[in-house]
Amino acid sequence: EAYAPSGAVSAALPERLAPQLATLVNGVPADAQDWIYEIKFDGYRLLARIDGASVRCMTRNGHDWSAKLPGLVKSLGDLGVSSGWLDGEIVVMNEEGLPDFGALQNAFDSAGTAHIVYYVFDLPYYKGLDLRQVELMKRREILADVLKNNRHADIRFSDAFEASPQGLLASAQRLGLEGIVGKRKDSVYASRRSADWIKLTTQLRQEFVIGG
């Protein structure tokens, strides 16, 4: 079947899932053709577990935020996914249509989470299959298919670019974005920090406490 690619293994849906994390690097990889790049969203990492009518939204540290995100839980339940884990990032957009971390924090402080958008970029489990050993590009292909009939504006597929990372980084800087995330096209999904996923930031930032 379309969702049973090479590397997929029949498995029960786990109760918990630790996300794959990206490694911060100072330079772009030499083997550029082996990588894709996504926008580095300025938000909170979120994994969604769907098991029939049960939908749970989990942080990267395993905290259940379902009660904080009732609208997103409903939208996820409408995707038509019988079982699976989705991986992505929640953000709030500013007036320019760019992720705004302060606005995201304020949404939780004010319980105004209706404007939160979930950008989904991976699918580690789907329909009784463990897809973590399936190569990234195939997982993304299945995920795009899962989301193609999605009617909810608060769930979006995280687009990837097979462009020059230097050009993407320059564009991200012009737009005021944090940076980009590079992912090796044939990489598996590993629940740890991995060199197959890399972070490139537009600027080095330091925080100072100023007393006066």
Side-chain angles (χ1 to χ4, degrees):
E1 291 184 40
Y3 60 84
S6 174
V9 179
S10 294
L13 193 68
E15 282 294 319
R16 301 277 173 172
L17 179 67
Q20 180 157 342
L21 303 175
T23 300
L24 181 64
V25 296
N26 293 320
V28 301
D31 51 346
Q33 72 282 358
D34 296 333
W35 296 77
I36 58 167
Y37 292 89
E38 298 172 55
I39 296 300
K40 186 177 185 298
F41 294 107
D42 198 3
Y44 291 129
R45 186 71 171 272
L46 195 81
L47 297 110
R49 183 185 188 275
I50 304 173
D51 188 10
S54 170
V55 177
R56 284 163 46 211
C57 293
M58 313 294 291
T59 69
R60 60 181 273 185
N61 295 320
H63 299 298
D64 191 332
W65 277 16
S66 308
K68 296 182 178 184
L69 297 163
L72 181 58
V73 166
K74 184 177 185 307
S75 296
L76 287 164
D78 286 345
L79 285 180
V81 174
S82 56
S83 73
W85 275 96
L86 284 71
D87 188 4
E89 188 108 352
I90 52 171
V91 300
V92 168
M93 300 301 194
N94 63 19
E95 291 176 356
E96 286 77 46
L98 300 171
D100 184 331
F101 189 68
L104 178 62
Q105 289 180 308
N106 290 340
F108 283 105
D109 291 341
S110 65
T113 57
H115 299 298
I116 285 175
V117 177
Y118 186 32
Y119 278 95
V120 187
F121 46 67
D122 216 318
L123 186 68
Y125 283 82
Y126 182 55
K127 281 191 174 180
L129 296 173
D130 179 346
L131 302 181
R132 292 177 299 170
Q133 296 301 310
V134 174
E135 65 175 37
L136 172 72
M137 296 303 282
K138 185 62 182 178
R139 294 197 311 271
R140 285 183 58 83
E141 183 185 317
I142 299 167
L143 176 61
D145 190 59
V146 168
L147 296 178
K148 71 180 179 186
N149 295 319
N150 168 46
R151 299 174 293 106
H152 296 282
D154 58 349
I155 301 176
R156 300 177 194 175
F157 181 64
S158 175
D159 287 320
F161 307 91
E162 293 188 49
S164 147
Q166 292 93 338
L168 287 171
L169 208 53
S171 297
Q173 187 154 25
R174 279 197 303 275
L175 290 169
L177 296 169
E178 269 203 326
I180 58 176
V181 175
K183 296 177 181 178
R184 195 178 288 278
K185 292 180 183 179
D186 62 356
S187 61
V188 301
Y189 189 97
S191 292
R192 53 178 169 77
R193 195 166 298 282
S194 166
D196 287 332
W197 288 16
I198 57 173
K199 292 183 289 189
L200 293 153
T201 60
T202 52
Q203 56 196 353
L204 295 173
R205 293 188 298 189
Q206 273 187 295
E207 293 185 5
F208 298 92
V209 176
I210 300 173

